[in-house]
């Protein structure tokens, strides 16, 4: 079965520049700064995906329309990516939670017994024993 990335379209830098209305040198700068990191060919050429093109347009909008500097844009991109990752993880955990709830309602019992062990807040001070002196 083919990977979804195999079906994705990639564009050379000149086409990506044209699609975004930017100069190719601007795209190279964004790559160096880590704002948009296209995949590389074996020869080192940049290949931009549709997602990269969308991200480049977002960078352009934030810079030109919102007046955000490149450091701010990088932070926004990183935090947006982190939020997206966390949303996926939350979705996975919610799905697992639903599965477990379903098992419990069907009477599923784990093979091991769960035992509650209360936490102790007591503090015990250890003091070494004195050595007995030889007589």
């Amino acid at each position: 079965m083919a990977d979804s990335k195999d079906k994705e379209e990639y564009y050379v830098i000149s086409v990506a520049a044209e699609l975004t209305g930017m100069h190719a040198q601007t795209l190279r700068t964004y790559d160096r700064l880590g704002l948009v990191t296209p995949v590389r060919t074996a020869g080192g050429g940049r290949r931009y995906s549709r997602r990269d093109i969308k991200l480049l347009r977002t960078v352009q909008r934030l810079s030109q329309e919102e007046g955000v500097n490149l450091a701010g844009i990088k932070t926004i991109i990183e935090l947006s990516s982190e939020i997206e990752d966390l949303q996926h993880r939350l979705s996975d955990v919610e799905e697992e939670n639903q599965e477990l709830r379903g098992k419990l309602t069907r009477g599923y019992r784990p093979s091991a017994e769960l035992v509650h062990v209360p936490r102790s807040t007591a503090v015990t001070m250890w003091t070494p024993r004195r050595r007995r002196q030889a007589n």
Side-chain angles (χ1 to χ4, degrees):
M1 183 172 183
D3 189 359
S4 63
K5 285 196 171 203
D6 293 340
K7 296 178 184 178
E8 191 170 0
E9 295 177 356
Y10 289 90
Y11 306 97
V12 294
I13 194 167
S14 60
V15 174
E18 188 176 324
L19 289 171
T20 59
M22 297 181 188
H23 194 278
Q25 191 59 42
T26 303
L27 274 59
R28 290 183 190 95
T29 300
Y30 290 171
D31 184 12
R32 275 194 302 279
L33 294 173
L35 293 173
V36 178
T37 307
V39 296
R40 297 288 187 132
T41 63
R46 293 170 174 87
R47 295 296 183 263
Y48 292 84
S49 67
R50 289 199 179 271
R51 186 172 190 267
D52 294 331
I53 300 296
K54 183 179 177 184
L55 189 54
L56 285 166
R57 288 179 177 146
T58 299
V59 169
Q60 187 177 41
R61 180 185 56 77
L62 288 170
S63 175
Q64 293 178 357
E65 296 174 19
E66 306 295 330
V68 181
N69 65 22
L70 295 179
I73 292 171
K74 185 172 183 174
T75 301
I76 290 168
I77 290 169
E78 288 169 351
L79 291 174
S80 295
S81 178
E82 189 173 333
I83 288 169
E84 192 175 304
D85 291 345
L86 289 171
Q87 287 173 332
H88 285 115
R89 286 179 49 198
L90 177 60
S91 178
D92 292 345
V93 168
E94 286 175 338
E95 188 176 305
E96 182 181 1
N97 189 359
Q98 280 302 109
E99 277 182 37
L100 292 172
R101 285 180 185 273
K103 285 181 179 182
L104 285 174
T105 58
R106 291 188 302 272
Y108 171 79
R109 296 286 178 242
S111 59
E113 185 177 343
L114 298 176
V115 180
H116 175 71
V117 179
R119 289 188 182 184
S120 172
T121 57
V123 177
T124 305
M125 184 162 175
W126 177 79
T127 53
R129 291 186 180 183
R130 290 188 194 171
R131 292 188 177 183
R132 294 185 188 191
Q133 294 180 351
N135 289 336

